[in-house]
Amino acid sequence: MKGIIFDIDGTLIVDNYKIDGATELIKKIKKSGTPFCFVTNTTETSTKHLYEILREKGFEIDISQIITPIVIAKKILKSKNVKSIQICFSDDLKAEFSEYDFNENPEFVIISDSGSGLTNSQINKIFQYFQNGAELIVLQNTKYYKKEGKLVIDLGFYSAGFEYITGKQIQSCGKPSELLFNFALNQMGLKDSSDVSMVGDDIEFDILGAQKIGFKGYLVKTGKYIQGIETKFSEKPFQIIESVKDLLNLFQ
């Protein structure tokens, strides 16, 4: 295995508890010298805060190994020479975009949330920005995730609604974006996806999204995994495992 990419929420951590064997696995991979990183669609907190959470739980990593949709959003903004933005609605993320001007007539609106969903008032605020000429970007398009033992809707729900009402496709910066996966490869010092693995609990965005560009997908039965969901897709994961603990044997 030339490299390995991990999803975080639902794969290494579920409801703020680390998966059994997760920290031991990271230690073994690190000792083996195999490049690894973390690609997450979590957008309710900053990269720095996410790094602090992982370190607190015993994951021996560097902050540069955490890759979020924010890096892709910044690439898009830079390529378009954007000066003014709004982030709707997560104050924790504003520090990540400190180089931009935040005002009430933004060129771009980055759609996020604080983990509790968007209110009707917030949805209308985004729509008003659009009516005033702003372009919309959604940090990720995930359909649902697991919170306090239950599946709850994610930003993909709102993104689909905005596409319907505006008549425009909204660019997503998160998985399964090819830009995000390729950025992860570059961060690991790899040139292509051959013999690189993606480990996650979302068959559509983590696994099949990665396999489209050549990764080997390991679907874990933790987090948001629903029993038998793999039968609903024509393409299958490279391997289905109970949890990341099952990967320990690969790095003896």
Side-chain angles (χ1 to χ4, degrees):
M1 191 181 295
K2 291 180 182 176
I4 185 165
I5 301 173
F6 290 95
D7 171 49
I8 297 176
D9 189 30
T11 302
L12 300 175
I13 296 173
V14 176
D15 284 340
N16 211 33
Y17 293 96
K18 67 180 179 182
I19 296 289
D20 184 35
T23 52
E24 292 81 1
L25 175 61
I26 298 303
K27 287 178 183 177
K28 282 196 171 186
I29 296 173
K30 192 173 182 179
K31 188 176 181 180
S32 75
T34 303
F36 67 97
C37 67
F38 308 88
V39 175
T40 177
N41 272 5
T42 298
T43 59
E44 62 191 64
T45 188
S46 66
T47 305
K48 183 176 182 292
H49 187 209
L50 187 54
Y51 168 72
E52 291 168 349
I53 290 171
L54 289 170
R55 290 290 296 188
E56 185 180 276
K57 295 187 181 303
F59 290 93
E60 297 178 2
I61 62 170
D62 298 322
I63 194 169
S64 61
Q65 291 176 293
I66 301 173
I67 301 166
T68 74
I70 291 167
V71 298
I72 303 305
K74 284 190 169 187
K75 281 181 173 291
I76 294 169
L77 296 177
K78 186 176 181 180
S79 70
K80 295 180 179 292
N81 198 31
V82 173
K83 304 297 182 185
S84 63
I85 66 169
Q86 275 293 346
I87 297 177
C88 300
F89 292 86
S90 177
D91 290 339
D92 194 30
L93 295 184
K94 288 188 175 180
E96 302 264 16
F97 295 88
S98 59
E99 65 267 42
Y100 294 96
D101 177 34
F102 289 85
N103 63 49
E104 287 303 302
N105 189 31
E107 299 168 69
F108 268 75
V109 171
I110 299 171
I111 304 172
S112 181
D113 70 23
S114 60
S116 56
L118 298 177
T119 66
N120 191 56
S121 175
Q122 289 173 329
I123 290 169
N124 278 314
K125 184 68 173 176
I126 295 170
F127 184 49
Q128 287 157 15
Y129 284 135
F130 170 79
Q131 288 179 304
N132 290 335
E135 290 191 49
L136 306 182
I137 294 177
V138 63
L139 281 183
Q140 48 92 351
N141 238 347
T142 306
K143 295 176 180 177
Y144 53 83
Y145 65 102
K146 201 166 191 177
K147 184 177 182 179
E148 297 176 355
K150 297 179 181 179
L151 294 178
V152 294
I153 61 172
D154 208 342
L155 283 178
F157 174 84
Y158 304 103
S159 177
F162 282 120
E163 287 186 345
Y164 172 74
I165 201 69
T166 64
K168 290 188 175 183
Q169 184 173 3
I170 299 175
Q171 183 161 5
S172 172
C173 304
K175 294 173 291 186
S177 166
E178 190 171 332
L179 287 172
L180 191 63
F181 284 128
N182 284 332
F183 186 90
L185 283 175
N186 290 333
Q187 284 291 92
M188 293 189 292
L190 302 174
K191 294 182 178 180
D192 61 69
S193 58
S194 60
D195 203 25
V196 177
S197 298
M198 173 71 213
V199 184
D201 66 329
D202 187 320
I203 184 171
E204 188 174 4
F205 287 4
D206 290 339
I207 306 306
L208 302 186
Q211 287 186 172
K212 282 182 181 178
I213 57 172
F215 290 82
K216 293 178 179 177
Y218 286 82
L219 178 64
V220 293
K221 292 184 175 182
T222 53
K224 70 169 70 174
Y225 173 80
I226 299 172
Q227 186 65 39
I229 193 169
E230 62 275 8
T231 63
K232 297 182 179 180
F233 296 86
S234 57
E235 187 183 355
K236 305 303 177 187
F238 174 74
Q239 193 169 335
I240 301 174
I241 57 179
E242 291 299 320
S243 76
V244 291
K245 189 175 182 180
D246 290 353
L247 296 173
L248 281 167
N249 292 334
L250 293 178
F251 296 95
Q252 294 295 346

